[in-house]
């Protein structure tokens, strides 16, 4: 499947909601932030309306450092490399120095995805997420950006 990434704008909000459901409730406010950074993945062979969003990644980017806040891929589009492509494109466009994210300790699939994308663990936030059974730790992860890698190479 050919997939393309495009920046997210306020015109994409309805499509974001169709992919992310309740997870997109805060996006309206985020889209208005100067530091907002987001990409959406679409089928490359669809028309210019891009009405078939496969997934998205959103976060913030300031002075070459960014944080991924949310990553969602439609259930029927998973296990096709779309999440990894979104992460790679996000980091390429918004992460000159460093990219950060956090993931629930029990979310093994997401943790493995982020490791495959080059993120490394650098800390833990104890009892960060509230769950039905109590709390869950957040694993803090980071990845060196492209400019930092180039500057550190001989």
């Amino acid at each position: 499947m050919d997939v393309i990434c495009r920046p997210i704008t306020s015109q994409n909000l309805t499509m974001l909601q169709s992919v992310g459901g309740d997870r997109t409730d805060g996006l309206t406010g985020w889209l208005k932030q100067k530091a907002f950074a987001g990409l959406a993945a679409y089928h490359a062979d669809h028309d210019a309306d891009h009405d078939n969003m496969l997934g998205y990644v959103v976060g913030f980017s300031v002075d070459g450092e960014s944080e991924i806040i949310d990553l969602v891929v439609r259930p029927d589009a998973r296990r096709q490399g779309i999440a990894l492509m979104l992460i790679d494109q996000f980091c390429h466009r918004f992460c000159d120095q460093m990219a950060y994210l956090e993931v629930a300790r029990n979310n093994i699939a997401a943790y493995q995805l982020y490791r495959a994308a080059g993120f490394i663990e650098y800390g833990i936030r104890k009892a960060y997420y509230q769950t039905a059974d109590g709390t869950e730790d957040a694993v803090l992860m980071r990845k060196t950006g492209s400019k930092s890698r180039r500057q550190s190479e001989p």
Side-chain angles (χ1 to χ4, degrees):
M1 164 182 5
D2 289 330
V3 177
I4 57 172
C5 284
R6 299 223 186 265
I8 292 174
T9 67
S10 57
Q11 287 78 31
N12 301 121
L13 195 54
T14 301
M15 287 184 284
L16 291 169
Q17 291 167 334
S18 72
V19 173
D22 293 342
R23 294 173 67 144
T24 61
D25 288 346
L27 282 180
T28 304
W30 290 0
L31 285 166
K32 296 175 185 173
Q33 301 291 323
K34 285 185 179 182
F36 176 80
L39 297 171
Y42 303 91
H43 282 288
D45 58 353
H46 277 250
D47 62 24
D49 291 334
H50 301 295
D51 59 353
N52 197 3
M53 186 181 290
L54 301 170
Y56 65 83
V57 58
V58 295
F60 295 98
S61 180
V62 177
D63 295 331
E65 291 194 348
S66 63
E67 181 175 5
I68 293 176
I69 304 296
D70 201 10
L71 171 69
V72 178
V73 175
R74 276 190 352 216
D76 65 325
R78 292 182 183 156
R79 302 249 177 240
Q80 299 178 45
I82 294 168
L84 191 57
M85 183 198 67
L86 282 166
I87 293 168
D88 287 345
Q89 287 290 313
F90 184 91
C91 290
H92 177 75
R93 293 182 189 202
F94 303 115
C95 312
D96 290 340
Q97 304 299 323
M98 189 71 68
Y100 298 92
L101 59 81
E102 62 189 40
V103 61
R105 183 185 292 278
N106 69 348
N107 191 343
I108 304 302
Y111 180 84
Q112 290 173 338
L113 171 69
Y114 299 137
R115 292 285 301 181
F119 283 82
I120 59 168
E121 188 175 327
Y122 74 95
I124 300 288
R125 285 193 180 128
K126 295 282 188 193
Y128 185 71
Y129 295 108
Q130 297 295 320
T131 67
D133 300 326
T135 60
E136 178 69 30
D137 294 345
V139 178
L140 305 176
M141 302 183 83
R142 67 180 171 211
K143 176 180 180 176
T144 303
S146 59
K147 279 190 180 175
S148 290
R149 284 193 300 272
R150 283 194 304 269
Q151 291 171 356
S152 65
E153 293 173 356

